[in-house]
Amino acid sequence: MKKILYIHGFGSAGSTGTATIMRNLLYEKDVRVVSPDVPVSPLEALQFLKDFAEQEQPDLIIGTSMGGMYAEQLRGYKRILVNPSFHMARLLTFRGLGNYDFQNKRADGATRFKVDKQMIAEFKEVEKLSFKGLTPEDKKNVYGMFGRNDPTVHTQDDFTKVYGKEHFVVFEGEHRLNDKILKHDVLPIIEEILVL
């Protein structure tokens, strides 16, 4: 059985509908999708994901938005970055500090989280690690997928500057994935990478 680690976006949880749709699409292909809740603290999140990936040894990592930023930093794995948000500190500074509701049910029961100056400072630290220490193998194993009409994140130039255009994909969509995009745009790349 092959395994995918899915890393959700900001303010979400492992219970996100994206992970559920992926599980349904891949069930008959004998692929397991694991999707943990990512800690709110960026420094904790990155270490948690490194440890989780080492323990689970996924055949593929898929990250969306903030999850795409984290996935980019998990060296040594095949990865798909969907609308990766490489500039979370700037995005959150623009959106403003304060309390926010989680968009999906968290395993620990938490329903709210706080964006404060410490979180933004931690995102700045984590962002400094993006694109560092890449090997030629890493560059071959990373795909970037970008919604043509994404109103939130615009990091195509960041991606192509480092990874080139060999695995650069633009799909008809916005920031969030839906079942149609997952089925028609993401699934074929998963099948190609995992040779399903």
Side-chain angles (χ1 to χ4, degrees), residues 81-177:
L81 318 179
V82 184
N83 292 323
S85 185
F86 297 129
H87 308 288
M88 286 297 301
R90 185 170 60 202
L91 188 66
L92 293 177
T93 300
F94 177 74
R95 282 190 180 172
L97 306 178
N99 293 311
Y100 292 85
D101 293 328
F102 282 111
Q103 299 160 13
N104 300 98
K105 187 175 181 179
R106 304 273 292 189
D108 64 2
T111 58
R112 304 200 87 203
F113 65 99
K114 185 175 186 175
V115 174
D116 56 18
K117 289 180 180 179
Q118 179 180 337
M119 178 186 281
I120 291 172
E122 286 188 22
F123 269 120
K124 285 180 182 176
E125 284 302 305
V126 169
E127 288 166 15
K128 289 177 186 174
L129 303 173
S130 294
F131 314 122
K132 301 288 187 225
L134 285 172
T135 65
E137 191 68 19
D138 273 316
K139 287 189 177 186
K140 285 193 308 191
N141 284 327
V142 175
Y143 285 70
M145 299 189 69
F146 299 87
R148 187 180 309 281
N149 302 307
D150 185 343
T152 308
V153 173
H154 308 283
T155 58
Q156 295 92 328
D157 290 344
D158 297 299
F159 181 87
T160 56
K161 182 178 176 183
V162 175
Y163 288 102
K165 292 209 172 185
E166 183 182 356
H167 294 145
F168 174 79
V169 177
V170 175
F171 61 89
E172 293 302 325
E174 296 188 6
H175 189 66
R176 295 179 189 272
L177 295 178

Side-chain angles (χ1 to χ4, degrees), residues 2-145:
K2 295 195 174 177
K3 187 185 296 182
I4 292 174
L5 166 57
Y6 173 71
I7 306 173
H8 64 74
F10 184 74
S12 190
S15 64
T16 176
T18 302
T20 302
I21 295 166
M22 272 198 278
R23 285 186 189 102
N24 293 337
L25 289 172
L26 294 163
Y27 176 76
E28 291 184 9
K29 298 180 184 297
D30 204 28
V31 177
R32 182 171 167 238
V33 177
V34 293
S35 179
D37 289 351
V38 176
V40 174
S41 158
L43 294 174
E44 286 178 31
L46 185 58
Q47 189 58 56
F48 168 82
L49 290 167
K50 286 179 178 179
D51 294 343
F52 191 88
E54 189 171 324
Q55 176 187 327
E56 293 289 330
Q57 288 299 303
D59 300 285
L60 173 63
I61 297 173
I62 301 173
T64 54
S65 192
M66 175 194 74
M69 177 200 62
Y70 288 133
E72 191 280 328
Q73 296 184 27
L74 298 177
R75 306 284 178 253
Y77 300 93
K78 295 177 180 178
R79 291 160 282 155
I80 300 173
L81 318 179
V82 184
N83 292 323
S85 185
F86 297 129
H87 308 288
M88 286 297 301
R90 185 170 60 202
L91 188 66
L92 293 177
T93 300
F94 177 74
R95 282 190 180 172
L97 306 178
N99 293 311
Y100 292 85
D101 293 328
F102 282 111
Q103 299 160 13
N104 300 98
K105 187 175 181 179
R106 304 273 292 189
D108 64 2
T111 58
R112 304 200 87 203
F113 65 99
K114 185 175 186 175
V115 174
D116 56 18
K117 289 180 180 179
Q118 179 180 337
M119 178 186 281
I120 291 172
E122 286 188 22
F123 269 120
K124 285 180 182 176
E125 284 302 305
V126 169
E127 288 166 15
K128 289 177 186 174
L129 303 173
S130 294
F131 314 122
K132 301 288 187 225
L134 285 172
T135 65
E137 191 68 19
D138 273 316
K139 287 189 177 186
K140 285 193 308 191
N141 284 327
V142 175
Y143 285 70
M145 299 189 69

